[in-house]
Amino acid sequence: MGAPVSVIIVSRGRPRALHRCLTGLAQLDYDPFEIIVVACPDGQAIAAAHPQAEQIKLIGFDEPNISAARNLGIAQAAGEIIAFIDDDAVPEPLWLQHLTHPFSDPNISATGGYVIGRNGISFQWTARSVDAHGVGHPIDLPTDAPQTPTPPAGHALKTEGTNMAFRSDVLREMGGFDPGFQFYLDETDLNMRLALAGHKTAIAPLAQVHHGFEESDHRHGNRVPKDLTQIGASQRLFLRKYCPEAEQEPAWHAFCKDQRLRLLRLVKARKLKPDGLADLLHGLQTGGDMGLTRAITRLAPIQTAHPSFKPFQGRPAAPRCILSGRIWQAHRLRREAAQLAAQGNIVSLYIFLPSPRYHTVSFKEDGYWEQFGGRFGRSTRSQPVWKYYRLSERVRQEYARTAAIRGQI
């Protein structure tokens, strides 16, 4: 048994993603934890239809303010630790074990893990610090063990919003998240406040989630932004809170330049139309003006009604199953994987092509993990482009690669 954990998910306009996230959370090898869903009407309907709906704390909220939504969840959390994951993410089964382990040190107030990108293998974000301009800086950690690196002066250790946890008493006392950050830099602002207050943050590399970049109000499914207004507003507010006054305007202009270059790359790649670039940059400037007028206030502690802990049944110590085969066996293997997952197993399926195709990993809606690619191709992108493997040898290698985050057989 670990410390009781409250997992908070905010969902707005992405019911299918929320369904997959809840399916993944139901396979967590951890006990005890509760799930709090703060969602729009469509998300509420998904949570209410979940087979374990009676075990979910459900809060209705349909405003485009992730900080306010998270604070509603914090007020209803009964765990000693409060963890956060995005609705378009899925955790590996041992996520909470690794994410909460650093809290065995009473000096640790927050933890963050690693985030895997869309191919299901490469990291999107690892260890980082953040400076007073809101710019992230990579930190090279020597091992996969939890660590508390010392960031440079004026920096804070960065936790990613889709993979982070906090001591509940510290988080409430800090006032949770600043609603002035409706979107973007919301968790980064909290990281800075924690650092300035002297709280320690640990990084747990083996606490890993897969992040999908689903379409939202702010971006398309291919990561092309729809609107930069709230990004501009949050960036300006962040600079006003943490950046020396003389550096604020240069930092703002540097940020706008970086955003423009990002959009130009999208135009060059034909993902964004040229006329769309002007609209997005206009929204960025409009948001910047909004951020100049947003109030900077000391956040009041979040009051709680002392809700009862509502345990969610995950899969502690669940059996692990491996299935593998060739592409022409895929239909049968997928059907078998879904059946085993429905029976309470944590299932890893490996399907190989007779080629050097790069590998991808995904969590399927039927509740199993599938790795798909060429038997001779890369999984991690540091591997050779082509290397001969026997099928059994390749399965053993790929299972060993994920055993520390998915669990041993």
Side-chain angles (χ1 to χ4, degrees):
M1 294 272 293
V5 179
S6 300
V7 179
I8 296 177
I9 316 160
V10 173
S11 184
R12 188 168 186 268
R14 301 195 290 203
R16 183 172 179 178
L18 176 61
H19 173 76
R20 194 171 68 116
C21 179
L22 289 171
T23 302
L25 288 170
Q27 294 193 10
L28 284 178
D29 188 342
Y30 189 87
D31 184 43
F33 70 98
E34 65 176 4
I35 293 178
I36 303 169
V37 174
V38 186
C40 66
D42 286 346
Q44 292 178 65
I46 287 294
H50 190 274
Q52 296 167 254
E54 293 183 357
Q55 301 173 20
I56 298 173
K57 290 182 177 178
L58 185 56
I59 302 170
F61 187 75
D62 194 17
E63 297 177 21
N65 190 320
I66 192 169
S67 294
R70 284 174 173 161
N71 288 347
L72 289 175
I74 293 168
Q76 294 300 318
E80 295 176 16
I81 297 166
I82 300 178
F84 295 87
I85 188 170
D86 288 350
D87 61 354
D88 63 343
V90 177
E92 285 283 353
L94 296 182
W95 172 56
L96 281 185
Q97 288 193 31
H98 292 301
L99 189 63
T100 60
H101 179 73
F103 290 112
S104 59
D105 179 348
N107 296 311
I108 297 299
S109 296
T111 64
Y114 283 9
V115 180
I116 300 169
R118 299 182 88 176
N119 65 23
I121 296 173
S122 303
F123 287 117
Q124 181 184 60
W125 294 306
T126 55
R128 295 193 292 168
S129 68
V130 63
D131 62 25
H133 294 188
V135 177
H137 302 268
I139 298 175
D140 185 22
L141 298 184
T143 71
D144 285 338
Q147 295 160 69
T148 311
T150 301
H155 290 220
L157 284 182
K158 178 83 172 69
T159 61
E160 308 302 338
T162 191
N163 187 0
M164 58 187 182
F166 307 88
R167 291 193 188 276
S168 59
D169 55 348
V170 171
L171 188 56
R172 288 193 178 93
E173 184 61 31
M174 297 290 295
F177 296 84
D178 184 344
F181 294 91
Q182 298 181 18
F183 173 79
Y184 187 67
L185 295 176
D186 35 286
E187 72 275 6
T188 310
D189 168 71
L190 177 57
N191 295 150
M192 292 295 284
R193 287 188 282 125
L194 286 165
L196 290 171
H199 291 287
K200 289 188 176 181
T201 296
I203 303 298
L206 293 177
Q208 296 181 14
V209 304
H210 295 246
H211 188 220
F213 276 125
E214 293 288 332
E215 184 171 3
S216 70
D217 291 343
H218 303 280
R219 65 170 181 250
H220 296 280
N222 63 356
R223 290 188 268 184
V224 174
K226 294 180 179 179
D227 180 70
L228 295 179
T229 304
Q230 290 304 326
I231 286 178
S234 291
Q235 180 67 27
R236 273 287 200 180
L237 178 59
F238 189 90
L239 293 175
R240 289 172 55 217
K241 289 185 73 170
Y242 303 109
C243 189
E245 187 173 358
E247 299 177 18
Q248 290 179 20
E249 281 302 311
W252 168 250
H253 290 301
F255 177 78
C256 291
K257 180 180 178 181
D258 287 344
Q259 291 296 310
R260 185 173 185 275
L261 290 174
R262 176 170 75 105
L263 297 178
L264 285 172
R265 288 193 293 270
L266 292 172
V267 170
K268 185 176 181 180
R270 297 186 178 181
K271 294 181 178 180
L272 175 66
K273 293 181 179 180
D275 56 352
L277 184 148
D279 291 339
L280 288 168
L281 291 177
H282 176 73
L284 182 68
Q285 294 298 327
T286 299
D289 293 341
M290 293 165 56
L292 287 174
T293 61
R294 285 189 178 169
I296 299 176
T297 58
R298 181 179 177 85
L299 300 178
I302 294 179
Q303 301 299 317
T304 175
H306 302 289
S308 60
F309 190 81
K310 196 170 189 178
F312 187 94
Q313 182 59 50
R315 295 189 181 177
R320 268 60 170 179
C321 294
I322 291 179
L323 298 174
S324 64
R326 296 169 174 82
I327 182 63
W328 51 86
Q329 300 168 309
H331 182 72
R332 174 183 61 80
L333 288 168
R334 287 169 175 151
R335 185 173 63 249
E336 185 177 352
Q339 291 171 347
L340 286 168
Q343 294 166 6
N345 300 280
I346 294 174
V347 183
S348 298
L349 169 61
Y350 302 92
I351 298 177
F352 296 105
L353 297 159
S355 76
R357 176 169 171 164
Y358 286 13
H359 289 212
T360 59
V361 173
S362 58
F363 183 76
K364 300 301 183 181
E365 292 186 2
D366 285 332
Y368 62 90
W369 296 92
E370 180 179 307
Q371 182 164 331
F372 184 90
R375 177 153 56 105
F376 317 115
R378 288 177 171 174
S379 55
T380 60
R381 279 19 182 188
S382 60
Q383 291 178 338
V385 174
W386 189 96
K387 183 178 178 180
Y388 177 79
Y389 294 96
R390 294 188 303 274
L391 180 63
S392 59
E393 178 187 13
R394 191 64 197 261
V395 172
R396 284 195 300 270
Q397 180 192 67
E398 295 307 320
Y399 175 72
R401 184 180 61 79
T402 61
I405 58 174
R406 199 166 300 165
Q408 301 283 354
I409 287 181

